[in-house]
Coordinates of all heavy atoms in Angstrom, one line a residue:
L231 N 16.5 -7.3 15.1 CA 16.5 -6.5 13.8 C 15.2 -6.9 13.0 O 14.6 -6.1 12.4 CB 17.7 -6.7 13.0 CG 17.8 -5.9 11.7 CD1 17.8 -4.4 12.0 CD2 19.1 -6.2 11.0
R232 N 14.9 -8.2 13.0 CA 13.8 -8.6 12.2 C 12.5 -7.9 12.6 O 11.6 -7.6 11.7 CB 13.6 -10.1 12.3 CG 12.6 -10.7 11.4 CD 12.6 -12.2 11.4 NE 13.9 -12.7 11.0 CZ 14.1 -13.8 10.5 NH1 13.1 -14.6 10.2 NH2 15.3 -14.2 10.1
D233 N 12.3 -7.7 13.9 CA 11.0 -7.1 14.3 C 10.9 -5.6 13.8 O 9.8 -5.2 13.7 CB 11.0 -7.1 15.9 CG 10.8 -8.5 16.4 OD1 10.2 -9.3 15.7 OD2 11.1 -8.7 17.6
V234 N 12.0 -5.0 13.6 CA 12.0 -3.6 13.0 C 11.2 -3.6 11.7 O 10.4 -2.7 11.4 CB 13.4 -3.0 12.8 CG1 13.3 -1.7 12.1 CG2 14.1 -2.9 14.2
Y235 N 11.4 -4.6 10.9 CA 10.8 -4.7 9.6 C 9.3 -5.0 9.6 O 8.6 -5.0 8.6 CB 11.5 -5.6 8.7 CG 12.9 -5.1 8.4 CD1 14.0 -5.6 9.1 CD2 13.1 -4.1 7.4 CE1 15.3 -5.0 8.8 CE2 14.3 -3.5 7.2 CZ 15.4 -4.0 7.9 OH 16.6 -3.5 7.7
K236 N 8.8 -5.3 10.8 CA 7.3 -5.6 11.0 C 6.6 -4.4 11.6 O 5.4 -4.5 11.8 CB 7.1 -6.8 11.8 CG 7.7 -8.1 11.2 CD 7.5 -9.3 12.2 CE 8.1 -10.5 11.6 NZ 7.9 -11.6 12.5
R237 N 7.3 -3.4 11.8 CA 6.7 -2.2 12.5 C 5.7 -1.5 11.6 O 5.9 -1.5 10.4 CB 7.7 -1.2 12.9 CG 8.5 -1.7 14.1 CD 9.5 -0.7 14.6 NE 9.1 0.7 14.6 CZ 9.8 1.8 14.6 NH1 11.1 1.6 14.7 NH2 9.4 3.0 14.6
Q238 N 4.7 -1.0 12.2 CA 3.7 -0.1 11.5 C 4.0 1.3 11.8 O 4.5 1.7 12.9 CB 2.3 -0.5 11.9 CG 1.9 -1.8 11.4 CD 0.4 -2.1 11.8 OE1 -0.1 -1.4 12.6 NE2 -0.1 -3.1 11.2
F239 N 3.8 2.2 10.8 CA 4.0 3.6 10.9 C 2.7 4.4 10.7 O 1.8 3.9 10.1 CB 5.1 4.0 9.9 CG 6.4 3.4 10.1 CD1 6.7 2.1 9.6 CD2 7.4 4.0 10.9 CE1 7.9 1.5 9.8 CE2 8.6 3.4 11.1 CZ 8.9 2.1 10.5
L240 N 2.7 5.6 11.3 CA 1.5 6.4 11.1 C 1.4 6.8 9.6 O 0.3 6.7 9.1 CB 1.6 7.7 12.0 CG 0.4 8.6 12.0 CD1 -0.8 7.8 12.4 CD2 0.6 9.8 12.8
T241 N 2.5 7.1 9.0 CA 2.5 7.4 7.5 C 3.7 6.8 6.9 O 4.8 6.7 7.6 CB 2.4 8.9 7.2 OG1 3.6 9.5 7.6 CG2 1.2 9.6 7.9
C242 N 3.7 6.5 5.7 CA 4.9 6.1 5.0 C 6.0 7.1 5.0 O 7.2 6.8 5.1 CB 4.6 5.7 3.5 SG 3.5 4.3 3.4
E243 N 5.6 8.4 4.9 CA 6.5 9.5 4.9 C 7.4 9.6 6.1 O 8.4 10.2 6.2 CB 5.8 10.8 4.7 CG 5.1 10.9 3.3 CD 3.8 10.2 3.2 OE1 3.3 9.5 4.1 OE2 3.2 10.4 2.1
N244 N 7.0 8.9 7.2 CA 7.8 8.8 8.4 C 9.0 7.9 8.3 O 9.9 7.9 9.2 CB 7.0 8.4 9.6 CG 5.9 9.4 10.1 OD1 6.0 10.5 9.7 ND2 4.9 8.9 10.8
V245 N 9.1 7.1 7.2 CA 10.2 6.2 7.1 C 11.2 6.8 6.1 O 10.9 7.2 5.0 CB 9.7 4.9 6.4 CG1 10.8 3.8 6.3 CG2 8.5 4.3 7.3
S246 N 12.5 6.8 6.6 CA 13.5 7.4 5.8 C 14.5 6.4 5.2 O 15.4 6.8 4.4 CB 14.3 8.5 6.6 OG 14.9 7.8 7.7
D247 N 14.4 5.2 5.5 CA 15.3 4.1 5.0 C 14.6 3.4 3.9 O 13.5 2.8 4.1 CB 15.7 3.2 6.2 CG 16.6 2.1 5.7 OD1 17.8 2.3 5.5 OD2 16.1 1.0 5.5
P248 N 15.2 3.3 2.7 CA 14.6 2.6 1.6 C 14.3 1.1 1.9 O 13.2 0.6 1.5 CB 15.6 2.7 0.5 CG 16.5 3.8 0.8 CD 16.5 3.9 2.3
T249 N 15.2 0.4 2.5 CA 14.9 -1.0 2.8 C 13.8 -1.2 3.8 O 12.9 -2.0 3.6 CB 16.2 -1.7 3.4 OG1 17.2 -1.5 2.4 CG2 16.0 -3.2 3.6
L250 N 13.8 -0.4 4.8 CA 12.7 -0.4 5.8 C 11.4 0.0 5.1 O 10.3 -0.6 5.3 CB 13.0 0.5 7.0 CG 11.9 0.5 8.1 CD1 11.6 -0.8 8.6 CD2 12.4 1.5 9.2
C251 N 11.4 1.0 4.3 CA 10.2 1.5 3.6 C 9.5 0.4 2.8 O 8.3 0.2 2.8 CB 10.6 2.6 2.7 SG 9.2 3.2 1.6
N252 N 10.3 -0.4 2.0 CA 9.7 -1.4 1.1 C 9.1 -2.6 1.9 O 8.4 -3.4 1.2 CB 10.8 -1.9 0.2 CG 11.1 -0.9 -0.9 OD1 10.3 -0.1 -1.3 ND2 12.4 -0.8 -1.4
S253 N 9.3 -2.6 3.2 CA 8.6 -3.7 3.9 C 7.7 -3.1 5.0 O 7.1 -3.8 5.8 CB 9.6 -4.6 4.6 OG 10.4 -3.9 5.5
A254 N 7.5 -1.8 5.0 CA 6.7 -1.1 6.0 C 5.2 -1.0 5.6 O 4.8 -1.0 4.4 CB 7.2 0.3 6.2
H255 N 4.4 -0.9 6.6 CA 2.9 -0.7 6.5 C 2.5 0.4 7.4 O 3.1 0.6 8.4 CB 2.2 -2.0 6.8 CG 2.4 -3.1 5.9 ND1 3.5 -3.9 6.1 CD2 1.8 -3.5 4.8 CE1 3.5 -4.8 5.1 NE2 2.5 -4.6 4.3
T256 N 1.4 1.1 7.0 CA 0.9 2.1 7.9 C -0.1 1.5 8.9 O -0.6 0.4 8.7 CB 0.2 3.2 7.1 OG1 -0.9 2.7 6.4 CG2 1.1 3.9 6.1
S257 N -0.4 2.2 10.0 CA -1.3 1.7 11.0 C -2.7 1.5 10.4 O -3.4 0.7 10.9 CB -1.3 2.6 12.2 OG -1.6 3.9 11.8
D258 N -3.0 2.2 9.3 CA -4.3 1.9 8.7 C -4.3 1.0 7.5 O -5.2 0.9 6.7 CB -5.0 3.3 8.3 CG -4.2 4.1 7.4 OD1 -3.1 3.7 7.0 OD2 -4.7 5.2 7.0
G259 N -3.2 0.3 7.4 CA -3.1 -0.8 6.4 C -2.5 -0.6 5.1 O -2.3 -1.6 4.3
M260 N -2.0 0.6 4.8 CA -1.4 0.8 3.5 C 0.0 0.3 3.4 O 0.7 0.2 4.4 CB -1.4 2.3 3.2 CG -2.7 2.9 2.8 SD -2.7 4.6 2.3 CE -2.5 5.5 3.8
T261 N 0.4 -0.2 2.3 CA 1.8 -0.7 2.0 C 2.6 0.4 1.5 O 2.2 1.2 0.6 CB 1.7 -1.8 1.0 OG1 0.9 -2.9 1.5 CG2 3.1 -2.4 0.7
C262 N 3.8 0.5 2.0 CA 4.7 1.6 1.6 C 5.7 1.1 0.5 O 6.0 -0.1 0.5 CB 5.6 2.1 2.8 SG 4.6 2.7 4.2
Y263 N 6.3 2.0 -0.3 CA 7.3 1.6 -1.2 C 8.2 2.9 -1.4 O 7.8 4.0 -1.2 CB 6.8 1.0 -2.5 CG 6.3 2.0 -3.5 CD1 7.0 2.3 -4.6 CD2 5.1 2.6 -3.3 CE1 6.5 3.2 -5.6 CE2 4.6 3.5 -4.2 CZ 5.3 3.8 -5.4 OH 4.8 4.7 -6.3
W264 N 9.4 2.6 -1.8 CA 10.4 3.7 -2.0 C 10.4 4.2 -3.4 O 10.6 3.4 -4.4 CB 11.8 3.2 -1.6 CG 12.8 4.3 -1.6 CD1 13.7 4.7 -2.5 CD2 13.0 5.2 -0.5 NE1 14.4 5.7 -2.1 CE2 14.0 6.1 -0.9 CE3 12.4 5.3 0.8 CZ2 14.5 7.1 0.0 CZ3 12.9 6.3 1.6 CH2 13.9 7.2 1.2
N265 N 10.2 5.4 -3.6 CA 10.3 6.1 -4.9 C 10.9 7.5 -4.7 O 10.2 8.5 -4.6 CB 8.9 6.2 -5.6 CG 9.0 6.7 -7.0 OD1 10.1 6.9 -7.6 ND2 7.8 6.9 -7.6
S266 N 12.2 7.6 -4.5 CA 12.9 8.8 -4.0 C 12.6 9.1 -2.6 O 13.5 9.6 -1.9 CB 12.6 10.0 -4.9 OG 13.0 9.7 -6.2
T267 N 11.4 8.9 -2.1 CA 11.0 9.0 -0.7 C 10.1 7.8 -0.4 O 9.7 7.1 -1.4 CB 10.3 10.3 -0.4 OG1 9.1 10.4 -1.1 CG2 11.2 11.5 -0.7
C268 N 9.7 7.6 0.8 CA 8.8 6.5 1.1 C 7.4 7.1 1.0 O 7.0 8.1 1.6 CB 9.1 6.1 2.6 SG 8.3 4.5 3.0
I269 N 6.6 6.4 0.2 CA 5.2 6.8 -0.1 C 4.3 5.6 -0.1 O 4.8 4.4 -0.3 CB 5.1 7.5 -1.5 CG1 5.6 6.7 -2.6 CG2 5.8 8.9 -1.4 CD1 5.4 7.3 -4.0
P270 N 3.0 5.8 0.1 CA 2.1 4.7 0.1 C 1.8 4.2 -1.3 O 1.7 5.0 -2.2 CB 0.8 5.2 0.8 CG 0.9 6.7 0.6 CD 2.4 7.0 0.5
K271 N 1.6 2.9 -1.5 CA 1.2 2.3 -2.8 C -0.2 2.6 -3.1 O -1.1 2.5 -2.2 CB 1.4 0.8 -2.8 CG 2.8 0.4 -3.1 CD 2.8 -1.1 -3.3 CE 4.2 -1.6 -3.8 NZ 4.2 -3.0 -4.0
S272 N -0.5 2.9 -4.3 CA -1.9 2.9 -4.8 C -2.3 1.5 -5.2 O -1.4 0.7 -5.5 CB -2.1 3.9 -5.9 OG -1.3 3.6 -7.0
C273 N -3.5 1.1 -5.3 CA -3.9 -0.2 -5.6 C -3.4 -0.7 -7.0 O -3.0 -1.8 -7.1 CB -5.5 -0.3 -5.6 SG -6.2 -0.2 -3.9
N274 N -3.3 0.2 -7.9 CA -2.9 -0.2 -9.3 C -1.5 -0.6 -9.3 O -1.0 -1.2 -10.3 CB -3.2 1.0 -10.3 CG -2.3 2.2 -10.1 OD1 -2.1 2.6 -8.9 ND2 -1.7 2.7 -11.1
L275 N -0.7 -0.4 -8.3 CA 0.7 -0.9 -8.3 C 0.8 -2.4 -7.8 O 1.9 -2.9 -8.0 CB 1.6 0.0 -7.4 CG 1.7 1.4 -7.9 CD1 2.5 2.3 -6.9 CD2 2.4 1.4 -9.2
F276 N -0.2 -3.0 -7.3 CA -0.2 -4.4 -7.0 C -0.5 -5.2 -8.3 O -1.4 -4.9 -9.0 CB -1.2 -4.8 -5.9 CG -0.9 -4.1 -4.6 CD1 -1.7 -3.0 -4.2 CD2 0.1 -4.5 -3.8 CE1 -1.4 -2.4 -3.0 CE2 0.4 -3.9 -2.6 CZ -0.4 -2.9 -2.2
T277 N 0.4 -6.1 -8.6 CA 0.3 -6.8 -9.9 C -0.2 -8.2 -10.0 O -0.2 -8.8 -11.0 CB 1.7 -6.7 -10.6 OG1 2.7 -7.4 -9.7 CG2 2.2 -5.3 -10.8
N278 N -0.6 -8.7 -8.8 CA -1.2 -10.0 -8.8 C -2.4 -10.1 -7.9 O -2.5 -9.3 -7.0 CB -0.2 -11.2 -8.6 CG 0.3 -11.1 -7.2 OD1 -0.4 -11.3 -6.2 ND2 1.7 -10.9 -7.1
L279 N -3.3 -11.1 -8.1 CA -4.5 -11.2 -7.4 C -4.3 -11.3 -5.9 O -4.9 -10.7 -5.1 CB -5.3 -12.4 -7.9 CG -6.7 -12.6 -7.3 CD1 -7.6 -13.1 -8.4 CD2 -6.6 -13.7 -6.2
A280 N -3.4 -12.2 -5.5 CA -3.1 -12.4 -4.1 C -2.7 -11.2 -3.3 O -3.2 -10.9 -2.2 CB -2.1 -13.6 -3.9
D281 N -1.7 -10.5 -3.9 CA -1.3 -9.2 -3.2 C -2.4 -8.2 -3.2 O -2.7 -7.5 -2.2 CB -0.1 -8.6 -4.0 CG 1.2 -9.3 -3.6 OD1 1.2 -10.1 -2.6 OD2 2.2 -9.1 -4.3
C282 N -3.1 -8.0 -4.4 CA -4.1 -7.0 -4.5 C -5.3 -7.2 -3.5 O -5.6 -6.3 -2.7 CB -4.7 -7.1 -5.9 SG -6.1 -6.0 -6.1
N283 N -5.8 -8.4 -3.4 CA -7.0 -8.7 -2.6 C -6.7 -8.7 -1.1 O -7.6 -8.6 -0.3 CB -7.6 -10.0 -3.0 CG -8.4 -9.9 -4.3 OD1 -8.8 -8.8 -4.7 ND2 -8.7 -11.0 -4.9
S284 N -5.4 -8.7 -0.7 CA -5.1 -8.7 0.7 C -4.5 -7.4 1.2 O -4.1 -7.2 2.3 CB -4.1 -9.8 1.0 OG -2.9 -9.6 0.4
K285 N -4.6 -6.3 0.3 CA -3.9 -5.1 0.6 C -4.9 -3.9 0.7 O -6.0 -4.0 0.1 CB -2.8 -4.8 -0.4 CG -1.8 -5.8 -0.6 CD -0.9 -6.0 0.7 CE 0.2 -7.0 0.4 NZ 1.1 -7.2 1.5
Y286 N -4.4 -2.8 1.2 CA -5.0 -1.5 1.2 C -4.1 -0.6 0.4 O -2.9 -0.7 0.5 CB -5.3 -1.0 2.6 CG -6.4 -1.6 3.3 CD1 -6.3 -2.9 3.9 CD2 -7.7 -1.0 3.3 CE1 -7.3 -3.5 4.5 CE2 -8.7 -1.7 4.0 CZ -8.6 -2.9 4.6 OH -9.6 -3.5 5.2
G287 N -4.7 0.3 -0.4 CA -3.9 1.2 -1.1 C -4.3 2.6 -0.8 O -5.2 2.9 0.0
V288 N -3.6 3.6 -1.3 CA -3.8 5.0 -1.1 C -4.7 5.5 -2.1 O -4.6 5.3 -3.3 CB -2.5 5.8 -0.9 CG1 -1.8 5.8 -2.3 CG2 -2.8 7.2 -0.5
L289 N -5.7 6.3 -1.7 CA -6.5 7.1 -2.6 C -6.4 8.6 -2.1 O -6.6 8.8 -0.9 CB -8.0 6.7 -2.5 CG -9.0 7.4 -3.4 CD1 -8.6 7.3 -4.9 CD2 -10.4 7.0 -3.1
I290 N -6.0 9.5 -3.0 CA -5.7 10.8 -2.6 C -7.0 11.7 -2.9 O -7.4 11.7 -4.0 CB -4.5 11.4 -3.2 CG1 -3.3 10.6 -2.9 CG2 -4.3 12.9 -2.9 CD1 -2.0 10.9 -3.7
V291 N -7.6 12.2 -1.8 CA -8.8 13.0 -1.9 C -8.5 14.4 -1.3 O -8.2 14.4 -0.1 CB -10.0 12.3 -1.3 CG1 -11.2 13.2 -1.4 CG2 -10.2 11.0 -1.9
N292 N -8.6 15.4 -2.0 CA -8.4 16.8 -1.5 C -7.0 16.8 -0.8 O -6.9 17.3 0.4 CB -9.5 17.2 -0.6 CG -10.8 17.4 -1.4 OD1 -10.8 17.8 -2.5 ND2 -11.9 17.1 -0.7
S293 N -6.0 16.3 -1.4 CA -4.6 16.3 -0.8 C -4.5 15.5 0.4 O -3.5 15.6 1.2 CB -4.1 17.7 -0.6 OG -4.1 18.5 -1.8
T294 N -5.4 14.6 0.7 CA -5.4 13.8 1.9 C -5.3 12.3 1.5 O -6.0 11.9 0.6 CB -6.6 14.0 2.8 OG1 -6.7 15.3 3.2 CG2 -6.6 13.1 4.0
N295 N -4.4 11.5 2.1 CA -4.2 10.1 1.8 C -5.3 9.3 2.6 O -5.4 9.4 3.8 CB -2.9 9.6 2.3 CG -1.7 10.1 1.4 OD1 -2.0 10.7 0.4 ND2 -0.5 9.8 1.8
I296 N -6.1 8.6 1.8 CA -7.2 7.8 2.4 C -6.8 6.3 2.1 O -6.5 6.0 1.0 CB -8.5 8.1 1.8 CG1 -8.9 9.6 1.8 CG2 -9.6 7.2 2.4 CD1 -9.2 10.1 3.1
S297 N -6.9 5.5 3.1 CA -6.6 4.0 3.0 C -7.9 3.4 2.5 O -9.0 3.5 3.1 CB -6.2 3.4 4.3 OG -6.0 2.1 4.2
V298 N -7.8 2.7 1.3 CA -8.9 2.0 0.7 C -8.6 0.5 0.4 O -7.4 0.2 0.1 CB -9.4 2.7 -0.5 CG1 -10.0 4.1 -0.2 CG2 -8.3 2.8 -1.6
P299 N -9.5 -0.4 0.5 CA -9.3 -1.8 0.1 C -9.0 -1.9 -1.4 O -9.6 -1.1 -2.2 CB -10.5 -2.5 0.5 CG -11.6 -1.5 0.7 CD -10.9 -0.2 1.0
C300 N -8.2 -2.8 -1.8 CA -7.9 -3.1 -3.2 C -8.7 -4.3 -3.7 O -9.0 -5.2 -2.9 CB -6.4 -3.3 -3.4 SG -5.4 -1.9 -2.9
Y301 N -9.1 -4.3 -5.0 CA -9.9 -5.3 -5.6 C -9.2 -5.7 -6.9 O -8.8 -4.9 -7.7 CB -11.3 -4.9 -5.8 CG -12.0 -4.4 -4.6 CD1 -12.1 -3.1 -4.3 CD2 -12.6 -5.3 -3.7 CE1 -12.8 -2.6 -3.2 CE2 -13.3 -4.9 -2.6 CZ -13.4 -3.5 -2.3 OH -14.0 -3.1 -1.2
W302 N -9.2 -7.0 -7.2 CA -8.7 -7.5 -8.4 C -9.9 -7.7 -9.4 O -10.9 -8.3 -9.1 CB -8.0 -8.9 -8.2 CG -7.3 -9.4 -9.4 CD1 -7.7 -10.3 -10.3 CD2 -6.0 -8.9 -9.9 NE1 -6.8 -10.5 -11.2 CE2 -5.7 -9.7 -11.0 CE3 -5.1 -8.0 -9.4 CZ2 -4.5 -9.5 -11.7 CZ3 -3.9 -7.8 -10.1 CH2 -3.6 -8.6 -11.3
C303 N -9.7 -7.2 -10.6 CA -10.8 -7.3 -11.6 C -10.2 -7.1 -13.0 O -9.4 -6.2 -13.2 CB -11.8 -6.2 -11.4 SG -13.2 -6.2 -12.5
N304 N -10.5 -8.0 -13.9 CA -10.0 -8.0 -15.3 C -8.5 -7.8 -15.3 O -8.0 -7.0 -16.1 CB -10.7 -6.8 -16.0 CG -12.2 -7.0 -16.1 OD1 -12.7 -8.1 -16.3 ND2 -12.9 -5.9 -16.0
N305 N -7.8 -8.7 -14.5 CA -6.4 -8.7 -14.5 C -5.7 -7.4 -14.1 O -4.5 -7.2 -14.5 CB -5.8 -9.2 -15.9 CG -6.2 -10.6 -16.2 OD1 -6.1 -11.4 -15.3 ND2 -6.6 -10.8 -17.4
S306 N -6.3 -6.6 -13.3 CA -5.7 -5.5 -12.7 C -6.2 -5.2 -11.3 O -7.3 -5.6 -11.0 CB -5.8 -4.3 -13.6 OG -7.1 -3.8 -13.7
C307 N -5.5 -4.4 -10.6 CA -5.9 -4.1 -9.2 C -6.4 -2.6 -9.2 O -5.8 -1.7 -9.8 CB -4.7 -4.3 -8.3 SG -5.1 -4.2 -6.6
S308 N -7.4 -2.4 -8.4 CA -8.0 -1.0 -8.4 C -8.7 -0.9 -7.0 O -9.0 -1.8 -6.3 CB -9.1 -0.9 -9.5 OG -9.8 0.3 -9.3
H309 N -9.0 0.4 -6.7 CA -9.8 0.7 -5.5 C -11.2 0.6 -5.8 O -12.1 0.7 -4.9 CB -9.4 2.0 -4.9 CG -9.7 3.2 -5.7 ND1 -8.9 3.6 -6.7 CD2 -10.8 4.0 -5.8 CE1 -9.5 4.6 -7.3 NE2 -10.7 4.9 -6.8
N310 N -11.6 0.5 -7.0 CA -13.0 0.4 -7.4 C -13.4 -1.1 -7.5 O -12.8 -1.9 -8.2 CB -13.3 1.0 -8.8 CG -13.1 2.5 -8.7 OD1 -13.5 3.2 -7.8 ND2 -12.4 3.0 -9.7
Y311 N -14.5 -1.5 -6.8 CA -15.0 -2.8 -6.9 C -16.0 -2.8 -8.1 O -17.2 -2.5 -7.9 CB -15.7 -3.2 -5.6 CG -16.1 -4.7 -5.7 CD1 -15.2 -5.7 -5.6 CD2 -17.5 -5.0 -5.7 CE1 -15.6 -7.0 -5.6 CE2 -17.9 -6.3 -5.8 CZ -16.9 -7.3 -5.7 OH -17.3 -8.6 -5.7
T312 N -15.5 -3.2 -9.3 CA -16.4 -3.1 -10.5 C -16.8 -4.4 -11.1 O -17.5 -4.4 -12.1 CB -15.6 -2.2 -11.5 OG1 -14.4 -2.8 -11.8 CG2 -15.4 -0.8 -11.1
C313 N -16.2 -5.5 -10.6 CA -16.5 -6.8 -11.2 C -17.8 -7.4 -10.6 O -18.1 -7.2 -9.4 CB -15.4 -7.8 -11.0 SG -14.0 -7.5 -12.1
N314 N -18.6 -8.1 -11.4 CA -19.8 -8.7 -10.9 C -19.5 -10.2 -10.5 O -20.3 -10.8 -9.9 CB -20.8 -8.8 -12.0 CG -21.3 -7.4 -12.3 OD1 -21.4 -6.5 -11.5 ND2 -21.7 -7.2 -13.6
T315 N -18.3 -10.6 -10.7 CA -17.9 -12.0 -10.4 C -17.2 -12.1 -9.1 O -16.6 -11.1 -8.6 CB -17.1 -12.7 -11.5 OG1 -15.9 -11.9 -11.7 CG2 -17.9 -12.8 -12.7

């Protein structure tokens, strides 16, 4: 059963179980979370440096989910690398 929670999915939307969703990742690196359905996290939902800098978030462009690296800057997480430090 433990291996099930390490599985990667093509999209978060393919996961229908809330518990499985909250530990699932997509094959392109996005982290999933449950919010009425299983959806990919955007970078701004990561709340600490360690989680942020090691994750990919979703950026929606023209109704398409794009996996982007997350960056920690000024005490928040974003898909924009805006810090000079």
Side-chain angles (χ1 to χ4, degrees):
L231 181 63
R232 185 175 300 209
D233 290 339
V234 170
Y235 293 99
K236 295 179 182 177
R237 287 182 41 197
Q238 292 183 343
F239 296 86
L240 186 58
T241 67
C242 293
E243 292 82 355
N244 290 344
V245 183
S246 58
D247 178 80
T249 302
L250 180 57
C251 173
N252 287 327
S253 61
H255 296 83
T256 62
S257 55
D258 58 358
M260 289 187 281
T261 300
C262 305
Y263 78 107
W264 191 263
N265 186 8
S266 300
T267 62
C268 193
I269 57 177
K271 275 189 175 183
S272 57
C273 291
N274 68 314
L275 293 176
F276 296 107
T277 58
N278 67 63
L279 183 142
D281 282 345
C282 175
N283 285 342
S284 65
K285 304 293 184 181
Y286 285 79
V288 64
L289 179 64
I290 300 171
V291 178
N292 296 326
S293 300
T294 301
N295 289 352
I296 308 289
S297 177
V298 295
C300 298
Y301 303 98
W302 188 258
C303 181
N304 298 323
N305 293 316
S306 66
C307 190
S308 170
H309 66 274
N310 293 317
Y311 185 72
T312 56
C313 283
N314 293 328
T315 58

